[in-house]
Amino acid sequence: MLNLILLSSLSFLACTDGKDSGATDDTSTGNTDTDTGTGGTTTPEFSVSGSWTDKCSYTLSIENGSGDYFLGLAETGAGADGWYGEDCGEGNACHPAGATGVTLTSVHPDCDGGGIDDIVAGSTTLFYQDLEAGLTYVVVDAASGECWSWGQDVNYYAAAGCTAM
């Protein structure tokens, strides 16, 4: 069902417009595997890495991507009290990342005094570096809907068929 939600969110977007500074919070290899013909040995087609470049700026980098991607973030470490409005779920923000990644600037009150109403997909986020330990991330292939997750609770995206990285 979450897979349907992720795909619905992608359709919706197509129609609408801690650590020290510089610390890398995650590095993952996509699980879109290519059979090499050597008994099932596979090689990854792309890799992603994310980092908080400062307290209020997150950059996702994609290398060797084969198309456009979306980035979702969920505050799974806070349970039911977490922020899920950017998780790529139905009606929620899903950040366009293109083929190479995206940089998001936080509108959290601890960063610029903004808030939820200031979130713009592909530009701003409510998250900031101090929340990093409780975040779960997902990258969704815009064409196929395949998805890969990493972070605090990869099981959050398991129902959507996302591969844990």
Side-chain angles (χ1 to χ4, degrees):
M1 173 143 170
L2 190 53
N3 197 23
L4 177 61
I5 293 170
L6 287 169
L7 292 175
S8 297
S9 178
L10 294 176
S11 297
F12 170 76
L13 284 171
C15 298
T16 61
D17 313 333
K19 290 183 178 179
D20 293 326
S21 178
T24 298
D25 66 357
D26 50 62
T27 302
S28 305
T29 301
N31 265 347
T32 303
D33 294 332
T34 303
D35 188 352
T36 62
T38 57
T41 303
T42 59
T43 56
E45 291 181 5
F46 75 99
S47 64
V48 297
S49 62
S51 65
W52 291 95
T53 53
D54 61 42
K55 179 179 178 175
C56 300
S57 183
Y58 180 79
T59 298
L60 173 76
S61 298
I62 300 171
E63 292 185 29
N64 300 318
S66 61
D68 287 335
Y69 299 90
F70 289 91
L71 169 66
L73 304 94
E75 192 180 10
T76 54
D81 294 330
W83 170 246
Y84 296 90
E86 299 174 62
D87 69 353
C88 290
E90 187 173 356
N92 293 343
C94 196
H95 299 285
T100 59
V102 63
T103 296
L104 303 175
T105 302
S106 180
V107 295
H108 191 278
D110 286 354
C111 290
D112 81 347
I116 292 172
D117 292 338
D118 299 310
I119 296 170
V120 175
S123 179
T124 58
T125 180
L126 189 61
F127 298 111
Y128 70 114
Q129 188 177 28
D130 292 357
L131 301 173
E132 176 182 13
L135 298 181
T136 301
Y137 305 82
V138 67
V139 170
V140 181
D141 184 300
S144 70
E146 287 184 86
C147 50
W148 302 268
S149 64
W150 69 97
Q152 193 272 333
D153 181 12
V154 295
N155 289 324
Y156 179 75
Y157 289 103
C162 297
T163 302
M165 295 197 300

